[in-house]
Amino acid sequence: MTSTADTLRYQSGFGNEHATEAVPGALPQGRNSPQRAPFDLYPELISGTAFTAPRHENRRTWMYRRQPSVVAGRYQPYAQPLWTTGGDRETALAPEPMRWHPIPFEPGAETDFVDGMRTLAANGDADAQCGVGSLVYLATKSMDRRAFVNADGELLVVPQQGRLVITTELGVLDVKPGEIAVLPRGLAFKVAVPDGPSRGYVCENYGAQFRLPELGPIGSNGLANARDFLAPVAAYEDSNAPYELVKKFGGRFWRAPAKGTPFNVVAWHGNLTPVKYDTVNFMTIGSISFDHPDPSIFTVLTSPSDTPGTANCDFVIFPPRWLVMEDTFRPPWYHRNLMSEFMGLVYGEYDAKPGGFKPGGASLHNAMVPHGPDEEAFEKASTVDLKPQKLDNTLAFMFESRYRFIPTAFALNTAPLDTGYADCWAGLKDQFSKP
């Protein structure tokens, strides 16, 4: 990448208007599309919302590039059968909790971020612009002269093993486990894996764009702060070597040759940007008396649905935190929810499942499916001497959706499904002691 600044410098703010140029003077002043742009660059607009969206919700970015993105060959079908879109309603799914062990790397297999993607569960429909997919990626090699564009949804990337260097049209993000990245729908990118074999989770969001949740009674401070989301500075590849473009469109994959790099944006301004966020900056809030509030207090980002207060998808994290509640069962209680929960573990131990839930694994608790602490966690939390306790070296998360998640054929037949998951509650006895 060529830039007048370090390409790994960032601009602060989620949804903020940013302006950046890799060559001084490349960014037009006062006009978005002058008759002749500086240095004979091509103006190009990418809109992430409808033109008439309310001003506070409107997302778009103007790019000034060496060649426009229309310069590409004809698209041909491309096979990626394990990255599926939406839920298959014909799947007969019992109303039971599900869990998967970490998906292992295949010996000798060489897959990049795109080919290494596997959908575990999904709901909704990309064309109807609702619902999400929950995926795991297994990448053993970097994307070199290859770029990917997802026209079906934005991607929320949660690395679990190995750092990702994500080159986008607007600049470069370096994302390590413990951090996340949000990549807008329609923006070209490629992923390098400098640490070797890399694994992580992805939420493919077909619905409304992720945004910061409203804080309500919490007030003006708390949870994730906009300034801690970092957008890249402008950077471009100074090369005309050919590329392969892979595009996901309508649930299918396509490929086309390009004579040059899609990463040729010399300057840009706008508020539709890729961003990264370090979860250590999340201001965790909890009870300082008794009981604990609903897990919505752990929401980092939300994708609203058409029903106020009910999300297309909430991205929720459970980071290191202090527990100080008195006379309280401190792990999550046993519960049945309207919202469906797809859960992953980045590192450490999850306090409600101290033995069975491993980093890189996943669990699924659909709407109204009972779940909660396993027998070991219940016994310990019911009898321990309650003192201030620090849950440390842990990071779990949820993709939580109002729609039922439907596991894929890969998840049911190939992925390491934990068929004995329900046994973790088998020892919970009727211990009612009559007065």
Side-chain angles (χ1 to χ4, degrees):
M1 304 293 286
T2 298
S3 173
T4 57
D6 179 358
T7 58
L8 291 181
R9 283 180 48 231
Y10 299 105
Q11 307 172 89
S12 175
F14 187 78
N16 289 10
E17 181 81 20
H18 295 297
T20 173
E21 53 189 13
V23 175
L27 195 64
Q29 301 299 313
R31 288 175 172 78
N32 291 324
S33 183
Q35 185 176 19
R36 292 284 296 269
F39 307 120
D40 290 325
L41 296 168
Y42 292 88
E44 180 174 310
L45 174 68
I46 181 169
S47 296
T49 53
F51 298 133
T52 54
R55 180 184 287 265
H56 70 280
E57 294 181 355
N58 210 305
R59 300 275 190 89
R60 92 293 178 249
T61 288
W62 280 95
M63 298 175 283
Y64 303 91
R65 56 196 315 155
R66 295 166 62 182
Q67 278 188 309
S69 57
V70 294
V71 181
R74 300 294 298 272
Y75 280 91
Q76 301 295 327
Y78 181 75
Q80 213 301 24
L82 297 180
W83 187 343
T84 59
T85 305
D88 182 359
R89 290 176 172 266
E90 299 302 314
T91 301
L93 183 66
E96 298 174 348
M98 304 182 72
R99 185 166 69 186
W100 291 267
H101 300 299
I103 300 175
F105 293 91
E106 297 179 19
E110 288 196 0
T111 54
D112 63 18
F113 183 81
V114 174
D115 290 340
M117 201 73 74
R118 281 94 175 92
T119 305
L120 283 181
N123 56 38
D125 183 276
D127 287 337
Q129 297 183 7
C130 68
V132 295
S134 297
L135 305 95
V136 171
Y137 66 84
L138 300 166
T140 59
K141 70 175 182 179
S142 299
M143 299 168 67
D144 186 17
R145 310 301 299 182
R146 193 179 203 212
F148 179 68
V149 176
N150 192 338
D152 288 343
E154 69 178 338
L155 299 181
L156 191 161
V157 183
V158 186
Q160 183 269 319
Q161 174 184 323
R163 182 168 53 98
L164 303 180
V165 177
I166 306 173
T167 300
T168 78
E169 291 176 86
L170 304 185
V172 183
L173 300 174
D174 189 305
V175 189
K176 65 181 185 298
E179 298 178 328
I180 64 167
V182 180
L183 306 174
R185 180 198 303 248
L187 195 72
F189 68 89
K190 66 178 181 178
V191 177
V193 287
D195 298 339
S198 300
R199 179 174 58 200
Y201 307 88
V202 170
C203 177
E204 183 180 19
N205 177 21
Y206 320 130
Q209 289 181 343
F210 279 114
R211 63 198 66 180
L212 293 172
E214 300 299 334
L215 294 181
I218 293 174
S220 60
N221 298 292
L223 310 189
N225 293 309
R227 70 184 182 94
D228 294 321
F229 287 81
L230 303 179
V233 297
Y236 65 93
E237 284 185 341
D238 195 9
S239 170
N240 288 317
Y243 257 78
E244 177 187 51
L245 300 179
V246 179
K247 192 164 192 174
K248 185 172 184 287
F249 179 78
R252 291 182 170 85
F253 289 80
W254 305 83
R255 72 196 307 173
K259 293 181 180 179
T261 175
F263 307 113
N264 61 14
V265 177
V266 181
W268 61 267
H269 75 87
N271 61 359
L272 180 72
T273 68
V275 292
K276 76 167 195 169
Y277 175 74
D278 192 335
T279 60
V280 301
N281 293 320
F282 187 80
M283 182 181 165
T284 311
I285 291 175
S287 171
I288 54 173
S289 56
F290 59 87
D291 288 347
H292 53 84
D294 295 325
S296 50
I297 60 170
F298 297 108
T299 302
V300 181
L301 295 169
T302 185
S303 164
S305 75
D306 57 4
T307 303
T310 306
N312 177 68
C313 184
D314 283 335
F315 174 59
V316 178
I317 65 171
F318 302 103
R321 59 199 182 276
W322 280 97
L323 303 178
V324 298
M325 303 86 80
E326 297 178 326
D327 190 20
T328 295
F329 183 78
R330 288 179 175 176
W333 359 256
Y334 297 103
H335 55 289
R336 290 169 291 171
N337 292 346
L338 170 70
M339 302 285 280
S340 297
E341 303 172 2
F342 177 92
M343 190 168 191
L345 183 61
V346 177
Y347 57 79
E349 187 176 87
Y350 181 56
D351 59 326
K353 303 286 191 306
F357 197 33
K358 302 296 184 184
S363 67
L364 175 61
H365 304 115
N366 266 316
M368 298 304 166
V369 171
H371 56 288
D374 61 19
E375 181 183 1
E376 177 188 353
F378 176 81
E379 181 63 27
K380 180 179 179 181
S382 300
T383 58
V384 70
D385 183 17
L386 292 181
K387 299 177 180 178
Q389 174 193 3
K390 178 72 178 292
L391 291 181
D392 217 344
N393 188 36
T394 181
L395 181 61
F397 72 89
M398 288 194 304
F399 302 146
E400 192 175 64
S401 177
R402 68 175 297 188
Y403 308 111
R404 178 173 64 105
F405 283 104
I406 303 175
T408 61
F410 168 80
L412 295 173
N413 303 319
T414 305
L417 182 64
D418 183 356
T419 56
Y421 178 30
D423 294 342
C424 75
W425 296 290
L428 294 169
K429 301 177 178 62
D430 180 348
Q431 53 189 25
F432 174 55
S433 54
K434 294 182 180 181

